Amino acid sequence: QVQLVESGGGSVQAGGSLRLSCAAYGYTYSINSIRCMGWFRQAPGKEREGLAFINTGGGSTYYADAVKGRFTISQDNAKNTMYLQMNSVKPEDTAMYYCAADPWLATLTECRRPSADFRYWGQGTQVTVSS
């Protein structure tokens, strides 16, 4: 069982930066054993979209086009925490942001697949970008 707790959301002006954190609890091993972790967001009236994924064993990453070049996903094994550094934010980045994890998605290819069914989800953290 893995419990995920997001933090770091808030209000920011367009062009600014924000860093989201996702702390993992309850897992026997370090997050580098979880293998598949990712960030998602959902804005009101829109479908949930996958933004960034990381294979925590090897560190390989994948980004959706909407955030590529602006957002960076990373991990800190000692803190059992995953991060999403958000730079050059835009009003359209306003959404509830969620982190997710699944030890059974062994490769980055499986992890970033739109049909991937993540087993563990955080409660979400709100990000609001004003123009």
Side-chain angles (χ1 to χ4, degrees), residues 2 9 11-13 15 22 26-27 36 39-40 46 57 66-67 69 75 77 79 90 97 100 111 118 126:
V2 179
S11 297
V12 62
Q13 287 193 325
C22 173
Y27 196 63
C36 170
W39 286 98
F40 296 77
K46 294 189 176 181
V67 303
Q75 66 191 84
N77 294 338
K79 295 182 178 179
K90 306 173 182 180
Y97 283 69
C111 187
F118 280 74
Q126 177 68 37

Side-chain angles (χ1 to χ4, degrees), residues 25-105:
Y25 299 96
Y27 196 63
T28 304
Y29 309 102
S30 170
I31 62 167
N32 63 341
S33 299
I34 293 180
R35 296 191 290 187
C36 170
M37 297 188 75
W39 286 98
F40 296 77
R41 69 185 178 192
Q42 187 166 21
K46 294 189 176 181
E47 290 189 356
R48 185 178 65 200
E49 62 174 323
L51 304 176
F53 302 90
I54 187 167
N55 181 294
T56 60
S60 54
T61 58
Y62 173 85
Y63 297 92
D65 288 343
V67 303
K68 194 178 297 182
R70 300 189 298 124
F71 293 6
T72 303
I73 189 171
S74 63
Q75 66 191 84
D76 185 330
N77 294 338
K79 295 182 178 179
N80 261 9
T81 300
M82 176 181 67
Y83 301 98
L84 185 68
Q85 178 66 44
M86 305 169 60
N87 297 330
S88 302
V89 296
K90 306 173 182 180
E92 51 263 44
D93 292 323
T94 295
M96 185 71 79
Y97 283 69
Y98 300 89
C99 65
D102 195 327
W104 284 267
L105 298 173

